[in-house]
Amino acid sequence: MTRTRIVVPCFEEAQRLDGEALSGLVSREPGTDLLLVDDGSQDDTLAMLRAVAARNPDRVEVLALARNVGKAEAVRQGILQALDRPDTAYVGYFDADLSTPLSAVADLRGVLEADAALQMVFGSRVLMAGHHIERVALRHYLGRIWATVASYLVDFAMYDTQCGAKLFRASPWVHSVFATPFVSDWLFDFEIVIRWISLSQEDDRPRARDVVVEYPLAEWVHRGGGAVGPAAYFHAFADLVRLHRHYYPATRAAAETPARGPEAEEPPQC
Ligand SMILES: Nc1nc2c(ncn2[C@@H]2O[C@H](COP(=O)(O)OP(=O)(O)OP(=O)(O)O)[C@@H](O)[C@H]2O)c(=O)[nH]1
Ligand SMILES: [Mg+2]
């Protein structure tokens, strides 16, 4: 059976970790395994992760990083380890606070299963009828402004780049996106898209807009108690400058390149 492997990056999460929920996912979903990454925490996080793995030895593994490297690098190292396993069909990451419930893993996988052309599905926090989305208002509005800027920069519409629930097809293309460290930390979710666009100038992969989709989550609840404070917005701005320096103008040119294949051809003249 092929596997879905979910990376959960954890930094000083001893107060928020829900071992029952993590174990619950692997009992409920025989095709989904967890890769819990301790990002050099000084609290009891690592011991708690190891306890979850001990209860589910074949389904949960722990990657213990010796020092704190930040979420982007912790996720990247976890994803690379998951992609190393030959039976991994899908790989993704979910935030440790489980603001996105783990039941969403199956929903996101369903999107990739339904369309073999898709490479990435991003959970999106869209408040709409029938969906339970609880966000802090200020963060929601700042997120909307950022998503508008980000959409402009990559030349296609995205609603929510920052949600900590994403799933990818375990393909060589996706592997190449995670192969080297990100230049950003707070904006690495967005850098994933930028990188795809940049790499599409070097090989024959399809355009990002044809392989990335967003999925409106059924539930997302702000948990609080995390490390995101006002300083995060300054870090994000510095990341944006770094992204611009590192990837522009290659990304701009690639984003504006017409699609390959029949749909890219000139429409017939009549
Ligand atoms: N802040 C932070 N988070 C990390 C780091 N390494 C891994 N993470 C994990 O990244 C995920 C998201 O963390 P944050 O971006 O800080 O957001 P948050 O902690 O959910 O903050 P809130 O939105 O206030 O709940 C969590 O699973 C963290 O444990 C790190 O160095 N710093
Ligand atoms: Mg959170």
Side-chain angles (χ1 to χ4, degrees), residues 11 20 35 38-39 44 59 88 93 108 116 118 131 142 159 170 189-190 196 199 215 221 231 246-247 249 253 258:
F11 177 58
E20 291 298 319
L35 203 163
D38 174 48
D39 188 13
D44 288 339
R59 309 284 308 284
T88 302
Y93 58 87
L108 297 180
L118 296 178
H131 293 234
L142 289 173
Y159 185 89
D189 306 72
F190 180 54
W196 182 284
L199 288 166
Y215 176 84
V221 177
H246 192 84
Y247 293 101

Side-chain angles (χ1 to χ4, degrees), residues 205-222:
R205 73 184 64 203
R207 295 181 314 172
R209 67 175 63 191
D210 297 327
V211 299
V212 179
V213 283
E214 290 185 276
Y215 176 84
L217 296 169
E219 184 180 335
W220 192 93
V221 177
H222 174 75

Side-chain angles (χ1 to χ4, degrees), residues 9-150:
C10 303
F11 177 58
E12 319 250 301
E13 291 284 0
Q15 298 301 319
R16 300 198 299 182
L17 268 178
D18 183 347
E20 291 298 319
L22 295 169
S23 292
L25 171 80
V26 291
S27 339
R28 256 193 339 270
E29 291 222 26
T32 301
D33 296 342
L34 290 173
L35 203 163
L36 309 174
V37 182
D38 174 48
D39 188 13
S41 306
Q42 298 293 319
D43 65 3
D44 288 339
T45 299
L46 181 57
M48 293 173 76
L49 299 183
R50 287 201 164 128
V52 177
R55 282 165 62 190
N56 311 275
D58 302 327
R59 309 284 308 284
V60 177
E61 57 187 313
V62 175
L63 170 61
L65 303 178
R67 61 178 185 88
N68 178 241
V69 292
K71 180 182 176 184
E73 182 59 10
V75 165
R76 194 183 75 85
Q77 296 207 18
I79 295 269
L80 286 179
Q81 181 160 320
L83 286 172
D84 248 6
R85 308 275 185 275
D87 57 352
T88 302
Y90 303 102
V91 64
Y93 58 87
F94 271 56
D95 280 353
D97 57 10
L98 302 185
S99 282
T100 312
L102 290 166
S103 54
V105 173
D107 299 334
L108 297 180
R109 185 174 48 228
V111 175
L112 295 180
E113 281 171 347
D115 185 346
L118 296 178
Q119 296 285 322
M120 313 183 185
V121 55
F122 293 179
S124 193
R125 295 162 289 182
V126 186
L127 182 56
M128 55 203 274
H131 293 234
H132 178 193
I133 308 293
E134 280 181 33
R135 296 188 68 184
V136 174
L138 178 66
R139 285 175 70 164
H140 165 74
Y141 290 113
L142 289 173
R144 293 299 307 123
I145 293 168
W146 162 242
T148 306
V149 172

